[in-house]
Amino acid sequence: MSKVLSWDPRPAVNIGAKISDKAQKLDADTAKAASAIDMSYEYWKRAAGDAARDRAAQDRDHARRTKQVMGDIQQEIYIQLDAIVGYIDVIKEAKRDAEDSEYHLYVEDDGEVRSRMPNWKVVLEHGPDGLVAKEGYEFYLTSRIRGALTSIQQTDKEGAEKIRRHLESLSPEVQRGATPMPSDPKLAEILTKYQTAPSKSGATLWPSGLLLNEIRMVSPDFQPTFMTPEEVALLELQLTKPDGISRVTDFFDFKSQAEEAAKKAYDNDPAALNDGHGDAFRHMYWNSLMTQRYGEDWTQSFGTAHEGIGGNAPAREAMDLHNNSLGRQVAVEHPNASPEELQRLVQQKIDAGDAIVINQQQQIEWSNRVKVGETGSPEPSDIPLPAGK
């Protein structure tokens, strides 16, 4: 709670203002350039001149669209900031109410409200009903504070995803122009092919409510995950099976198993596990486990939906989707392989250079052309590429 209360929104406000300034400058510069070329009729004639003027008009349209996207991002930043500041105000008010209470209440850093006054003294000063009132007030204030903290966390995650999704509205020409292409023709093909369209709506935490409670009866420590609606729909399809709950808990177990196996295979090397060989191992092994359990088609659909959060860096998205396909291939070719055998087969493909990692130039590269621990990592969010065909 202390970190939340000490948070300063001004840097984020300044970022929004800078985005607006850049949008206005882009609009002014491209308008000036388009006007200059548009006035070239007198000296630049025939097909070449007409083609240049047509291209200038197209570029101007792309710039207008980019300005709109930048403006939308600025407004989204302010909307999310306003929501977070509102929840912080709720926490501040509840904290004041606690500190002003006759029960000498205070707030722990985890949001729990407690009393410095021992219960015997509460009974002595306020009677038995006073003890009930104190505990009820503690519960009420704790619920307000923790509810606001949860809302801040959710707003932060969902707001970031909403901001990234605006990048999907850039014109395909701008998206392609902002993405450097590998010199290897096969890698360039993979980069453009393995891109997915964004989710139709924002991601949310799943599962919740009665379903979450039912799953926790089987797995008490289970925690919901941030998912796109398409991911949720695919998992809810599994719930329609006779062993639906088991299928869903297996899904999350597979994810954990893949993460642990990748850490073991690459000795917890942060570089390898973050867009490197360990990350490739994790995606491939996870997809091979899912393919054995749910089939190739369902696993392919889920792997694609998993990348549907907007604003993914193109290199990371291509790496993940390509490696997903290799993992499915391993399981299809070895349907009865044990987990240990799947891991061995996945490692063989990485060592042979069939998998994709990110090099230090933030481009995709074959896994045998980059040493373990010498990979790079693109920005968490970036201008996406159009969906591949």
Side-chain angles (χ1 to χ4, degrees), residues 51-67:
R53 286 183 286 272
D54 288 344
R55 177 56 188 266
Q58 294 173 13
D59 290 345
R60 177 66 178 136
D61 288 341
H62 298 325
R64 288 194 185 99
R65 187 167 171 177
T66 301
K67 177 194 173 186

Side-chain angles (χ1 to χ4, degrees), residues 168 175-176 188-198 304 314 317-318 321 384-389:
E168 302 284 350
Q175 292 175 339
R176 295 188 188 98
E189 179 185 348
I190 288 173
L191 183 62
T192 54
K193 174 184 176 182
Y194 286 103
Q195 303 293 326
T196 185
T304 302
E317 187 159 307
L321 290 174
L385 276 173
K389 298 180 180 179

